[in-house]
Structure formats: structure tokens, C-alpha cells
């Protein structure tokens, strides 16, 4: 799984056995899904008649009509928002401690969605049931079909309230889940011929070409993908992560920790003490921009400040959980391309 897992507590159940609200009451609270709950405001109308979508687990969800009461992981809700689809509820990093939208919320108006849980392990089943959900949509970071940010302890209760849809972001290049989210949005009634949508896709293709050219022009520049916590520094390998796999395919030269070193991180990353943060030489460092990670400006470790890339000002942001719309992925390509174009060999 991505790096934030190391900084989160272990998953915990939300409803203790024998709690105040049993599953029967939760199901009853779900109400009549056939009634209009008003969730479709601002959302394009999908084609009438039966609706189905086959997700990346191979599971086909079939409904009498296209879902309008959609609950999604925050990043998925943000991606659908870019295609004109408004979700009703979200779970996952949505607001910061100051109440501002989390980076994973994108352009979504967080004041207009019901937040079921803002941190790892949080998912309010009672609130979820009250939304009368048609579907729950999330990403997946493994081959086991685990829906991201759906707590393990309550996943069965959650699954009884609405069918789930999983979009895989595991061990594939960015363009694949981007296309899957495009397909999903289209099935939900999004206008995929709208100027905003088609323009974003063109800009993405142009940004990819720019990054490929920048990587080809400076093959000697080594890029390290990092993430910071108080005790440890994490170095990601390019394998498994959709963004890094794609950037590598475009020619970017990444620092690659050996597989043996990544074993503790499930194959995703190597954990380093801050004393050993200089283990790998890098000319550009991409740092995790999620709220679960310490941001570069807030890192006070002396060993960090001594890194050649840091001293040279060659540190940029990285989004390990990209919002899967072309519009939001353009800056990821552009920022890295610009960094390579300007980078000097310092590592």
C-alpha cells in the first residue's frame, strides 16, 4: 500500500458488537432507494433504463437505473466532480484540521457532501445508511479487491447497504485507471464530449510528450520519490505505484530501492531512519503531498537539509494517490517535466 499506511494506526471497527444501532436498524435507515433523494442536483442525467458497470475485480454491478446516490472515496468523488458527476457522500481525507479542503478533495465543494469519515478507520455507517446509497466507489491498492478506506471490521455491514465498485490503482500505469474512471463517469451520464473534458485530455497528452522529451534530454538526472514522517523517511520504488510506473515508462530515471529493502513496506517502499536519509543519491526529490505526510517546508531534520537536491532547491510535490481525472493529472506531468528541464546534476 502507499506510504501513508505506515503513519496510520491499525484499522479499528466502527460499530462494536451489540452496539446501540444494530445492522437491522441501519438497513431500515437506508429507506426507499426508489424515492428521489435529491442527490442528482448538478449531475447530468444518465441514459434511462437498466445500468451496469464491470469493475476491476471483475464484478458487474447491475441496477434498474443509473445510480444517483453515489458515495465514494474522496479522491474518486473529486475525479467524478471534474466530469460533472456530483457524489452525495465521501470517506477518506476530505478536510484538513483547519477545515479547508484536503488536497485529495480537488475542486469538490466539501461543504456540499456528507463526510462519513475523514481519517483512516473512520466510516459512519449510520450516516451512510441515511444517504440511501445506490453504490459505493473506491480505489484498490491490492489484488485482493480491498476497497480503499473501507474499514475491514465493518466492510460486510457496509456491503449490505449498497454494491461496491472498485477501480484498481495497483501495479499498472496511470493511463489505465484514468481510462477506467473516464468509462465510469461516462456510464453515470457525464458529457465526455464537453470542451472542458476533451481539452483536459489533450493537455494531458501534451504534458506526457513534454515529460518524455525532458527525460530523454537528461537521462542522467536521478529522481527519488520520498515521503516524510517524524521518525522515518520512505523511499518508493517505481514498481506498483501508478504515477511512478507511468513516469518510468516515459523515461524518468528513478532511484530504485532493492526488493529486499522494500519487503517491510509491502513492496512499495523502503523505510530509512533520518540518519540514513542520504543513502541514495538523487538530483530531484518528489515529496508526498498528502496531509498524512510531513511537507518539505516543515522538515527540520539536519540530514534532510544537507541533501544535495534540497540544497539546490530541486524538490517538488508528488501525489501518490492522484485524482483520476485528466485535468488533475496534467500538473503531475508538467511539474516533473519542468523539474527535469531545470535540474542540475547534484546527486
Amino acid at each position: 500500500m502507499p506510504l501513508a499506511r505506515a503513519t496510520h494506526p491499525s484499522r479499528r471497527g466502527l460499530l462494536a458488537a451489540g452496539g446501540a444501532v444494530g445492522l437491522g436498524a441501519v438497513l431500515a435507515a437506508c429507506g426507499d432507494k426508489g424515492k428521489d433523494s435529491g442527490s442528482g442536483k448538478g449531475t447530468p442525467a444518465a441514459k434511462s433504463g437498466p445500468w451496469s458497470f464491470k469493475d476491476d475485480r471483475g464484478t458487474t454491478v447491475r441496477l434498474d437505473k443509473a445510480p444517483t446516490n453515489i458515495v465514494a472515496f474522496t479522491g474518486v468523488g473529486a475525479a467524478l466532480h471534474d466530469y460533472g458527476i456530483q457524489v452525495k457522500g465521501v470517506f477518506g481525507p476530505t478536510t484538513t484540521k483547519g477545515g479547508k479542503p484536503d488536497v485529495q478533495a480537488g475542486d469538490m465543494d466539501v461543504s456540499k457532501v456528507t463526510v462519513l469519515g475523514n481519517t483512516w478507520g473512520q466510516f459512519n455507517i449510520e450516516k451512510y445508511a441515511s444517504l440511501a446509497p445506490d453504490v459505493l466507489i473506491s480505489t484498490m491498492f491490492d489484488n485482493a479487491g480491498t476497497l480503499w478506506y473501507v474499514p475491514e471490521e465493518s466492510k460486510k455491514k457496509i456491503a449490505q447497504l449498497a454494491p461496491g465498485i472498485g477501480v484498481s490503482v495497483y501495479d499498472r500505469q496511470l493511463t489505465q485507471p484514468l481510462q477506467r474512471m473516464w468509462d465510469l463517469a461516462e456510464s453515470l451520464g457525464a458529457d465526455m464530449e464537453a470542451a472542458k473534458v476533451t481539452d483536459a485530455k489533450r493537455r494531458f497528452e501534451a504534458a506526457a510528450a513534454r515529460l518524455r522529451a525532458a527525460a530523454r534530454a537528461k537521462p542522467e538526472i536521478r529522481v527519488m520519490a520520498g515521503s516524510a514522517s517524524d521518525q522515518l523517511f520512505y523511499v518508493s520504488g517505481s514498481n506498483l505505484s501508478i504515477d511512478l510506473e507511468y513516469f518510468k515508462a516515459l523515461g524518468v530515471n528513478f532511484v530504485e530501492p532493492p526488493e529486499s529493502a522494500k519487503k517491510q513496506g509491502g513492496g512499495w517502499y523502503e523505510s530509512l531512519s533520518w540518519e540514513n536519509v542520504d543513502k541514495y543519491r538523487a538530483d530531484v526529490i518528489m515529496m508526498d503531498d498528502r496531509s498524512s505526510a510531513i511537507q518539505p517546508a516543515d522538515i527540520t531534520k539536519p540530514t534532510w537539509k544537507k541533501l544535495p537536491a534540497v540544497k539546490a532547491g530541486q524538490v517538488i510535490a508528488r501525489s501518490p494517490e492522484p485524482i483520476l481525472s485528466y485535468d488533475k493529472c496534467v500538473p503531475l506531468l508538467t511539474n516533473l517535466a519542468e523539474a527535469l528541464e531545470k535540474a542540475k546534476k547534484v546527486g
Side-chain angles (χ1 to χ4, degrees), residues 197-282:
V197 174
T198 57
D199 175 66
K201 194 169 186 179
R202 282 194 297 269
R203 287 187 291 110
F204 178 89
E205 292 166 351
R210 179 181 175 183
L211 178 54
R212 184 184 291 108
R216 185 182 297 123
K218 292 187 177 180
E220 74 282 2
I221 297 298
R222 297 186 78 203
V223 179
M224 181 168 68
S227 183
S229 71
D230 184 56
Q231 299 298 321
L232 296 170
F233 183 83
Y234 308 96
V235 180
S236 289
S238 63
N239 189 32
L240 302 183
S241 297
I242 58 172
D243 61 329
L244 302 185
E245 284 203 12
Y246 183 53
F247 300 157
K248 183 178 181 179
L250 293 176
V252 177
N253 178 14
F254 281 105
V255 167
E256 298 284 3
E259 290 303 316
S260 58
K262 295 189 295 181
K263 185 172 292 186
Q264 190 174 8
W268 292 87
Y269 56 84
E270 177 182 3
S271 303
L272 298 175
S273 66
W274 282 102
E275 289 75 16
N276 295 316
V277 73
D278 60 351
K279 178 178 179 179
Y280 299 107
R281 293 293 179 179

Side-chain angles (χ1 to χ4, degrees), residues 8-332:
H8 284 301
S10 59
R11 292 188 177 188
R12 57 190 181 276
L14 295 176
L15 292 182
V21 181
L23 180 58
V26 173
L27 290 169
C30 194
D32 183 359
K33 292 184 181 181
K35 294 179 180 179
D36 180 12
S37 60
S39 66
K41 291 182 179 180
T43 296
K47 294 179 181 178
S48 60
W51 179 90
S52 67
F53 186 83
K54 186 175 181 179
D55 76 358
D56 289 338
R57 298 171 297 182
T59 300
T60 299
V61 175
R62 293 183 173 86
L63 299 173
D64 292 338
K65 61 179 182 179
T68 53
N69 287 6
I70 301 169
V71 173
F73 172 68
T74 302
V76 172
L80 292 175
H81 172 84
D82 286 351
Y83 292 125
I85 303 296
Q86 178 66 45
V87 302
K88 193 172 185 182
V90 295
F91 54 94
T94 308
T95 58
T96 63
K97 291 182 180 179
K100 295 182 179 180
D102 188 273
V103 64
Q104 294 192 63
D107 293 332
M108 193 168 48
D109 187 343
V110 297
S111 69
K112 293 184 178 179
V113 293
T114 298
V115 181
L116 305 176
N118 198 56
T119 60
W120 185 256
Q122 291 183 348
F123 193 110
N124 191 314
I125 298 180
E126 294 176 63
K127 279 187 178 181
Y128 179 53
S130 72
L131 295 177
D134 294 322
V135 291
L136 178 148
I137 310 172
S138 190
T139 49
M140 300 183 298
F141 282 92
D142 59 29
N143 277 332
T146 305
L147 296 178
W148 192 229
Y149 266 77
V150 174
E152 183 72 20
E153 295 82 0
S154 49
K155 68 178 184 179
K156 291 183 179 179
K157 293 179 180 180
I158 292 168
Q160 290 184 54
L161 294 168
I165 292 174
V167 176
S168 181
V169 289
Y170 176 76
D171 195 16
R172 60 200 62 205
Q173 293 183 25
L174 176 62
T175 47
Q176 290 176 269
L178 269 174
Q179 183 60 51
R180 293 296 285 145
M181 193 61 67
W182 175 288
D183 295 339
L184 178 58
E186 185 174 32
S187 78
L188 294 170
D191 181 3
M192 310 314 285
E193 296 182 0
K196 177 182 177 181
V197 174
T198 57
D199 175 66
K201 194 169 186 179
R202 282 194 297 269
R203 287 187 291 110
F204 178 89
E205 292 166 351
R210 179 181 175 183
L211 178 54
R212 184 184 291 108
R216 185 182 297 123
K218 292 187 177 180
E220 74 282 2
I221 297 298
R222 297 186 78 203
V223 179
M224 181 168 68
S227 183
S229 71
D230 184 56
Q231 299 298 321
L232 296 170
F233 183 83
Y234 308 96
V235 180
S236 289
S238 63
N239 189 32
L240 302 183
S241 297
I242 58 172
D243 61 329
L244 302 185
E245 284 203 12
Y246 183 53
F247 300 157
K248 183 178 181 179
L250 293 176
V252 177
N253 178 14
F254 281 105
V255 167
E256 298 284 3
E259 290 303 316
S260 58
K262 295 189 295 181
K263 185 172 292 186
Q264 190 174 8
W268 292 87
Y269 56 84
E270 177 182 3
S271 303
L272 298 175
S273 66
W274 282 102
E275 289 75 16
N276 295 316
V277 73
D278 60 351
K279 178 178 179 179
Y280 299 107
R281 293 293 179 179
D283 306 296
V284 173
I285 302 176
M286 303 174 68
M287 290 296 289
D288 188 343
D289 69 353
R290 291 173 296 181
S291 55
S292 58
I294 299 176
Q295 297 306 301
D298 299 320
I299 299 175
T300 58
K301 308 291 184 181
T303 49
W304 164 260
K305 295 181 179 180
K306 291 179 182 179
L307 292 177
V310 176
K311 293 169 69 175
Q314 296 180 174
V315 178
I316 64 171
R318 176 200 170 205
S319 299
E321 295 183 58
I323 294 173
L324 297 173
S325 72
Y326 286 101
D327 179 70
K328 293 300 179 293
C329 288
V330 169
L332 310 185

